[in-house]
Amino acid sequence: MIYLDNAATTKVFDRAISAAEKAMSVDFYNPNSTYGCGVDAKNNIEQARRTIATVVGAQSDEIVFTSGATESNNWVFECGRKNQKGNVVISAGEHASVYECAMRLKSRGTDVRIVPLTREGTVDINAFKHAVDGDTTLVSIIHVSNETGAINPVRELVTTAKKISPRVLFHSDGVQGLLKTDMPVSSLGCDLYSASAHKLGAPKGMGFLYIKRGVNMQPFIRGGGQENGLRSGTQNTPYIAAFAAALEHFSQSANKADVMKIKTYLYDRFVAVGYDPVIPLDMSSAYILCVHIPDVKAEILQNALYDKGIVIGKGAACSGSKRGNRVLSAMGLSDAQAECCIRISLFADTKYEDVAAASAVIIETAEKIRSNHVG
Ligand code: PMP
């Protein structure tokens, strides 16, 4: 099978599996127990936290482990606004785990402002400047779109927002951006940044919320006071160990230039046969290519390719059952065009030969579907 849906999830690295196995079979003790092996388990967590912080460009006390980015994003919306006051600004390109939280705030009476996207899938900067005002307390802008790969200029948006509203908390959903852009977390300038382990060669159900030093976040999940009182619940020691091993391995083995070469090959191949990449090559992540294939429904193509051993995506896996595509329509695509968009997403271990072979089959299959449809 040629797997090209790595924005949905990735295969767990062998090193991450070994790290999780050791934490389950050898170092299985409760990290909150005060006897020796409990203390050792706690030390393993702190070692993993230091590794992750170093790799992503943060301080270790800024990393709080969660059950994944959905939890991190929910935490931000439940607890990231002092006294629950002020308005909230998000973009029209947010993942459901941000968008739905914002909609819940709106249903409770909060003024939620949704900044439109440009045709290139990024936040419309002028509209952003108008949306943020002195009463804005929370801004949440996705770093890299999971649907299109569009990269938002987070650093510039943070500067703009803080100039207008110095007390604003700036959050970014970094799931598709972490280690896949050249931006260490600290260089983005945001106060909060969500990450998910399973997009980077670690297991599902693990992530972190980066909380910049000095930012005062209330806990979302209360109980035994783990994670420095910020996120209760016995820590998931196997997955924390796996997360650290995966990020370390990814940072050493993933070569963005190589991934970009593969994406460029695909991009050129599709353009040559008249398909429309949704975002220009230089404005999107090396790891994600979203392309519109006129008159070929993505669902039909996806199923036909699956039968031939090729796995591709269409829209977001998390919202795969919902009709339409909120993000693509926010960029100005019609429903009919959005239905004909596929998403191909690469990873550190994606092979050029596999992609070359897959692209020939994708084009051949798409053309067959089109001729059946048109003919
Ligand atoms: N945000 C983005 C941009 C994502 O792509 C995803 C995963 N589809 C999430 C949040 C949710 O992450 P998790 O699966 O760790 O809850």
Side-chain angles (χ1 to χ4, degrees), residues 246-267:
L247 291 200
E248 200 169 34
H249 182 60
F250 183 89
S251 70
Q252 289 161 358
S253 61
N255 183 332
K256 208 175 120 230
D258 287 347
V259 179
M260 196 63 192
K261 232 183 257 168
I262 300 179
K263 180 177 164 180
T264 306
Y265 166 83
L266 261 181
Y267 188 98

Side-chain angles (χ1 to χ4, degrees), residues 97-301:
S97 56
V98 162
Y99 193 82
E100 293 302 326
C101 287
M103 288 306 104
R104 172 135 172 86
L105 288 187
K106 191 174 150 96
S107 72
R108 290 190 211 144
T110 302
D111 176 5
V112 174
R113 302 166 181 187
I114 303 178
V115 182
L117 301 182
T118 62
R119 181 61 188 79
E120 285 75 39
T122 50
V123 168
D124 181 322
I125 309 267
N126 272 335
F128 181 78
K129 284 182 186 155
H130 282 107
V132 178
D133 64 22
D135 286 331
T136 304
T137 46
L138 176 66
V139 172
S140 184
I141 302 290
I142 195 165
H143 186 188
V144 171
S145 167
N146 52 303
E147 312 250 2
T148 64
I151 305 170
N152 275 312
V154 171
R155 193 165 42 189
E156 186 185 335
L157 295 169
V158 171
T159 310
T160 303
K162 298 245 172 196
K163 226 180 256 168
I164 301 170
S165 179
R167 66 185 177 137
V168 76
L169 270 189
F170 197 110
H171 167 251
S172 181
D173 176 342
V175 170
Q176 307 287 348
L178 187 72
L179 300 184
K180 293 178 178 170
T181 58
D182 295 325
M183 305 290 285
V185 174
S186 56
S187 76
L188 292 168
C190 49
D191 302 296
L192 305 159
Y193 191 80
S194 302
S196 175
H198 72 101
K199 315 288 183 171
L200 286 159
K204 295 153 192 64
M206 172 50 53
F208 68 70
L209 180 65
Y210 159 89
I211 306 175
K212 192 172 159 179
R213 266 189 194 166
V215 170
N216 181 20
M217 268 296 269
Q218 290 301 303
F220 178 38
I221 296 180
R222 292 166 190 276
Q226 289 89 346
E227 294 293 282
N228 214 8
L230 285 169
R231 201 281 187 178
S232 287
T234 306
Q235 292 94 330
N236 189 340
T237 51
Y239 283 14
I240 290 172
F243 196 7
L247 291 200
E248 200 169 34
H249 182 60
F250 183 89
S251 70
Q252 289 161 358
S253 61
N255 183 332
K256 208 175 120 230
D258 287 347
V259 179
M260 196 63 192
K261 232 183 257 168
I262 300 179
K263 180 177 164 180
T264 306
Y265 166 83
L266 261 181
Y267 188 98
D268 291 344
R269 199 118 199 226
F270 287 148
V271 169
V273 290
Y275 303 169
D276 318 314
V278 166
I279 311 271
L281 190 60
D282 58 349
M283 290 186 74
S284 54
S285 160
Y287 291 83
I288 298 178
L289 174 60
C290 180
V291 61
H292 169 239
I293 306 182
D295 302 320
V296 177
K297 289 214 168 110
E299 191 169 351
I300 297 174
L301 180 57

Side-chain angles (χ1 to χ4, degrees), residues 318-362:
C318 309
S319 57
S321 59
K322 290 186 185 161
R323 277 194 64 79
N325 184 308
R326 175 172 47 77
V327 177
L328 295 176
S329 21
M331 290 167 56
L333 274 77
S334 67
D335 283 354
Q337 284 172 320
E339 262 191 301
C340 296
C341 286
I342 59 166
R343 181 188 68 181
I344 293 177
S345 45
L346 315 173
F347 194 50
D349 57 4
T350 305
K351 293 194 178 57
Y352 186 88
E353 310 81 72
D354 282 350
V355 171
S359 62
V361 181
I362 294 170

